């Protein structure tokens, strides 16, 4: 949460490069990283740890992110030897997108949502990470952090919940349900070669 005072808001609004007026108060912000490039990665040889792509896809499926493939919604951080770590950025279209999240249809529509859009190199990343076992491990990793969701939601200012039609308990329940359903949504066993040999 970024706290904007009146002087900072006025200085931003004086500039012409902001599309919308900046208001005094609390805003959502992300850390500025200066040592990154826009993703997504175009080739597996660019990725230092393919597992990061597998985990990101599983997390996106869990939170219902729908626009990871857009340029800049992943960042690439130098890892040496011409390779990069993959960092998630711009989660504004999670929960099936902002319009779905703010509609009366959430969480019903969110719970019906399938897997996240797969990056072009996902199959190669899964293969390089261990195939079906890597997908299952990513699911277990997500399920292992579900207990932290309540604490994260408690950091959202109360006034923000008041502006929307959704309650934190609804978000919490939806995320718990999706985490339990991840194996059936993603189907790790699908990541096998036709002859039954694991990737």
């Amino acid at each position: 949460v970024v706290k904007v005072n009146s002087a900072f808001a006025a200085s931003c609004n004086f500039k012409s490069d902001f599309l919308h007026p900046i208001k005094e108060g609390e805003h959502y912000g992300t850390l500025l990283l200066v040592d990154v490039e826009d993703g997504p990665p175009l080739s597996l040889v660019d990725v230092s740890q393919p597992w990061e792509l597998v985990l990101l896809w599983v997390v996106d499926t869990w939170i219902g992110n729908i626009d990871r493939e857009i340029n800049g919604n992943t960042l690439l951080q130098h890892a040496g030897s011409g390779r990069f770590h993959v960092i998630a950025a711009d989660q504004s279209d999670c929960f099936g997108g902002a319009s779905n999240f703010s509609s009366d249809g959430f969480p019903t529509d969110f719970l019906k949502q399938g897997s996240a859009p797969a990056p072009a190199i996902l199959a190669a990343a899964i293969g390089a990470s261990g195939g079906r076992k890597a997908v299952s491990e990513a699911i277990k990793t997500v399920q292992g952090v579900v207990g932290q969701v309540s604490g994260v939601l408690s950091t959202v200012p109360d006034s923000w919940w008041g502006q929307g039609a959704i309650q934190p308990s609804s978000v919490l329940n939806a995320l718990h349900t999706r985490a339990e359903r991840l194996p059936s949504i993603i189907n790790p066993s699908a990541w096998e070669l036709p002859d039954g040999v694991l990737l």
Side-chain angles (χ1 to χ4, degrees):
V1 175
V2 178
K3 295 183 179 177
V4 174
N5 63 28
S6 58
F8 183 78
S11 70
C12 290
N13 293 328
F14 179 74
K15 299 176 182 179
S16 61
D17 53 348
F18 287 93
L19 298 176
H20 305 286
I22 306 298
K23 298 179 181 179
E24 179 181 1
E26 294 179 320
H27 299 266
Y28 176 78
T30 57
L31 295 175
L32 174 64
L33 301 175
V34 294
D35 61 340
V36 296
E37 300 177 20
D38 283 350
L42 302 178
S43 169
L44 195 60
V45 298
D46 298 329
V47 178
S48 174
Q49 297 178 17
W51 158 255
E52 292 172 347
L53 281 172
V54 179
L55 182 59
L56 180 56
W57 175 64
V58 172
V59 170
D60 280 344
T61 296
W62 174 43
I63 65 172
N65 193 42
I66 60 173
D67 67 344
R68 184 68 62 203
E69 74 280 0
I70 293 176
N71 190 48
N73 283 359
T74 54
L75 300 175
L76 304 176
Q77 187 173 47
H78 292 277
S81 303
R83 294 180 178 232
F84 299 88
H85 290 293
V86 180
I87 301 172
D90 192 349
Q91 279 64 248
S92 61
D93 270 336
C94 62
F95 300 109
S99 59
N100 180 61
F101 185 54
S102 61
S103 74
D104 293 336
F106 182 87
T108 304
D109 293 339
F110 174 62
L111 294 176
K112 291 179 183 175
Q113 193 173 337
S115 62
I121 60 174
L122 177 66
I126 289 174
S129 301
R132 178 174 72 180
K133 183 178 178 185
V135 176
S136 294
E137 286 300 316
I139 291 171
K140 287 179 189 172
T141 299
V142 168
Q143 291 174 332
V145 300
V146 171
Q148 299 175 33
V149 173
S150 181
V152 171
L153 292 177
S154 71
T155 66
V156 177
D158 290 338
S159 62
W160 292 7
W161 292 112
Q163 292 177 24
I166 193 159
Q167 296 300 313
S169 59
S170 228
V171 176
L172 182 64
N173 292 338
L175 287 173
H176 274 270
T177 300
R178 273 192 74 84
E180 291 170 2
R181 292 186 55 233
L182 275 175
S184 63
I185 295 170
I186 290 176
N187 187 16
S189 64
W191 298 96
E192 289 182 305
L193 296 174
D195 61 2
V197 177
L198 293 180
L199 285 171

